[in-house]
Amino acid sequence: MTCNPHHLINAYWRLRNNTENVVLATIIETLGSTYQKAGARMLIADNGELNGLLGGGCFERDLVEQAHTVFETENPKTLFYDMRSPDDAVWGLGLGCNGAVRVLLQLLKADNDFHPLNRIVEVSESHTAGILATVYESDHPDYSIGDSFFLAEFELDDLSQKGNTPVSITKAAKQTWRRRKPTLDTCLIDRHAVKLFFDLMRPSAQLLVLGAGVDALPVVQFAKALGWRVTIVDHRPGYIKPERFPNIDALLHSMPEDLHERLPLDRFDALVLMTHSIEYDERYLRIIAASRIPFIGLLGPVHRRDRLLDSLGGDAPNIAAKVFGPVGLDIGAETPEEIALSIMAGIHAALKGRDGGQLGIKDCHPQ
């Protein structure tokens, strides 16, 4: 997904227990340097409580004020915050952010299951990807601001696919899908101009941890804090206890040779092998080698990684490029919590195509 929505998922399940409406704030466009990018979302309650951040505190107070009118009128609105002026002449806040954002506010009604938040949650918790198109400006009588359309991945990959969504919206959604980044586009429908925000929707990232030792606990905690869905597998039944991992998505007792029959391995985005047994690491790795998991993390030193890869024989070259061992970024980690932070940071960097260096390193000048 363009922006991880795990805070929205948690909020949605809480919201379903009451009947209070909320306002959804979505960044639909950014210019210059901004705290969040297009696709970032947060919820605003009627009492001003926020769930999420869009501007890092720069304009949230004004968003709350603007949301009051959305609650009162039930009409969505689009706001533009321009903080590129060096003296912030408009807002007088002296923020120095050097960026601008366009934000759509729309009322989510409890009696409509908080649509389209329910659709965002459904996509995130399923294995469906696609494009969510939301109207933010329209002169068409049948297409109002805030109306949303979801096109699943199979509809976007099949150019001949036809459905109830207007052709112009479908074509624009397919362009967004190919570019793999959120976009604004104007679609002509019955000679009316309808402007929409097209955003990529993907399921939550999934982590597979092989080994349920004590050091797996902080890895799970960091992964869950990032919104990942986590599955833990261990060959020792005594380690697979729900009370040890209260927030886990799935616990499974499985011998290595049964793993591919028990789990759809290709569904996972990353894997960390941490049984602390060279024998079982070898056996699990032999099964994993046939999967399409893009990141395989190994604990231990380089020579241990090499021994594990050598044990695969002819299969080793096929997975060597996606095997990271020792797994994690070099942050001087020593404690289990620091190591877990290093592991999850390394996974995140690799999947984003980054090397994990300091963001301000070019501005550092050692004395």
Side-chain angles (χ1 to χ4, degrees), residues 195-206:
K195 297 184 178 181
L196 300 102
F197 170 59
F198 294 88
D199 193 15
L200 284 81
M201 296 282 117
R202 292 193 179 94
S204 297
Q206 296 207 47

Side-chain angles (χ1 to χ4, degrees), residues 88-288:
D88 288 326
V90 176
W91 301 102
L93 300 176
L95 300 174
C97 295
N98 199 32
V101 297
R102 195 178 308 277
V103 181
L104 172 66
L105 298 182
Q106 56 189 128
L107 186 68
L108 307 187
K109 296 184 178 182
D111 60 10
N112 193 31
D113 197 23
F114 304 99
H115 183 78
L117 179 58
N118 60 343
R119 194 60 165 129
I120 295 172
V121 172
E122 180 184 340
V123 170
S124 183
E125 296 197 336
S126 69
H127 303 289
T128 304
I131 297 291
L132 182 68
T134 304
V135 178
Y136 71 93
E137 188 175 317
S138 172
D139 63 4
H140 195 297
D142 297 328
Y143 292 86
S144 303
I145 298 175
D147 287 353
S148 297
F149 310 86
F150 179 76
L151 291 93
E153 181 178 4
F154 71 88
E155 298 176 89
L156 300 165
D157 287 336
D158 184 359
L159 295 179
S160 64
Q161 180 73 32
K162 294 182 179 180
N164 296 325
T165 307
V167 174
S168 58
I169 293 180
T170 302
K171 288 183 177 178
K174 290 176 178 177
Q175 289 294 325
T176 301
W177 182 253
R178 282 192 283 266
R179 288 193 291 262
R180 290 295 196 268
K181 61 184 299 185
T183 57
L184 297 180
D185 209 336
T186 300
C187 300
L188 289 178
I189 305 174
D190 303 326
R191 298 184 180 180
H192 291 273
V194 179
K195 297 184 178 181
L196 300 102
F197 170 59
F198 294 88
D199 193 15
L200 284 81
M201 296 282 117
R202 292 193 179 94
S204 297
Q206 296 207 47
L207 173 67
L208 176 59
V209 178
L210 298 179
V214 175
D215 56 341
L217 292 170
V219 174
V220 171
Q221 291 168 351
F222 276 110
K224 294 301 293 180
L226 294 171
W228 286 59
R229 296 177 67 85
V230 184
T231 297
I232 290 186
V233 175
D234 203 294
H235 60 283
R236 299 159 291 192
Y239 281 55
I240 303 297
K241 301 291 185 182
E243 58 269 23
R244 296 185 66 228
F245 301 95
N247 297 320
I248 202 71
D249 295 287
L251 279 171
L252 179 66
H253 169 240
S254 176
M255 299 302 289
E257 292 71 24
D258 300 327
L259 190 61
H260 70 285
E261 296 179 355
R262 306 287 303 278
L263 279 178
L265 294 177
D266 293 343
R267 181 178 296 173
F268 292 95
D269 300 277
L271 175 150
V272 180
L273 189 54
M274 49 195 313
T275 69
H276 297 286
S277 164
I278 192 72
E279 175 194 350
Y280 276 92
D281 278 1
E282 286 181 358
R283 290 167 64 181
Y284 275 120
L285 192 60
R286 194 169 296 118
I287 301 302
I288 297 162

Side-chain angles (χ1 to χ4, degrees), residues 1-21:
M1 191 172 291
T2 303
C3 293
N4 198 318
H6 66 280
H7 65 291
L8 299 180
I9 296 172
N10 295 334
Y12 171 74
W13 293 115
R14 291 195 301 270
L15 287 169
R16 296 195 74 189
N17 295 323
N18 60 50
T19 58
E20 297 180 1
N21 298 333

